[in-house]
C-alpha cells in the first residue's frame, strides 16, 4: 500500500489549503480514510475522515471549517480535505491513514509520510 500526501504549505490565518492523499498498490478494499495531525510537542490527533460508504467524522475543532471527500482516478483512491478559515493552531504535520484489505487477507492501518501545514498569524 502506497500513500502519497500533498497540498501542505504556508498560509496566513484565515486562508485555505486543500490536502490530498492518494492510496494505491495491492489494495483489495478500502474502508476508512482519515486525516490526523501532530503539532510539535503534542500527540497525534484525529482531524477528519470518511468511510467507504461516505460517512464522515470530524474533530470538534474543525467542524464547519474543514470538509473531506473521496474520489477515484485510475488505480488510486483519494481522500481530499478542504481546509478553510485556517488558524495558527492548525499548524501541524498532517498524516493520512487508511484501513485497507490487502492480498494477505488482513485489514490493517497504513500511514502516509505527512505533509506540513503552517499557518502564520
Amino acid at each position: 500500500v502506497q500513500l502519497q500526501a500533498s497540498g501542505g504549505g504556508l498560509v496566513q490565518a484565515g486562508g485555505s489549503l486543500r490536502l490530498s492523499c492518494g492510496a494505491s498498490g495491492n489494495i483489495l478494499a478500502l474502508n476508512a480514510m482519515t486525516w490526523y495531525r501532530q503539532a510539535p510537542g503534542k500527540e497525534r490527533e484525529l482531524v477528519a475522515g470518511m468511510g467507504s460508504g461516505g460517512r464522515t467524522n470530524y474533530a470538534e475543532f474543525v467542524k464547519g471549517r474543514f470538509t473531506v471527500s473521496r474520489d477515484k482516478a485510475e488505480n488510486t483512491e483519494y481522500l481530499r480535505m478542504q481546509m478553510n478559515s485556517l488558524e495558527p493552531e492548525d499548524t501541524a504535520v498532517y498524516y493520512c491513514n487508511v484501513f485497507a484489505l490487502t492480498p494477505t487477507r488482513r485489514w490493517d492501518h497504513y500511514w502516509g509520510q505527512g505533509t506540513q501545514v503552517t499557518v502564520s498569524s
Side-chain angles (χ1 to χ4, degrees):
V1 177
Q2 290 84 46
L3 298 178
Q4 183 67 47
S6 62
L10 173 64
V11 65
Q12 288 188 330
S16 299
L17 285 172
R18 188 178 189 227
L19 303 186
S20 292
C21 172
S24 61
N26 289 327
I27 299 171
L28 299 182
L30 272 177
N31 195 329
M33 299 182 76
T34 309
W35 286 104
Y36 288 77
R37 71 185 187 187
Q38 187 166 19
K42 294 188 177 182
E43 292 188 353
R44 192 170 296 189
E45 59 185 356
L46 185 146
V47 179
M50 179 178 279
S52 56
R55 184 172 183 176
T56 58
N57 64 301
Y58 294 93
E60 199 63 36
F61 54 77
V62 302
K63 283 184 179 179
R65 299 190 299 127
F66 294 7
T67 303
V68 290
S69 61
R70 286 171 66 159
D71 60 89
K72 293 182 181 180
E74 297 182 351
N75 296 319
T76 302
E77 183 154 359
Y78 294 91
L79 175 68
R80 320 278 188 184
M81 184 162 70
Q82 179 66 41
M83 305 188 297
N84 299 327
S85 303
L86 283 162
E87 304 166 351
E89 294 73 22
D90 295 316
T91 295
V93 178
Y94 284 71
Y95 297 91
C96 176
N97 175 280
V98 301
F99 191 49
L101 177 66
T102 65
T104 63
R105 293 297 174 179
R106 284 181 48 181
W107 285 93
D108 282 306
H109 286 276
Y110 297 87
W111 290 93
Q113 85 282 8
T115 184
Q116 176 71 46
V117 171
T118 304
V119 185
S120 62
S121 57

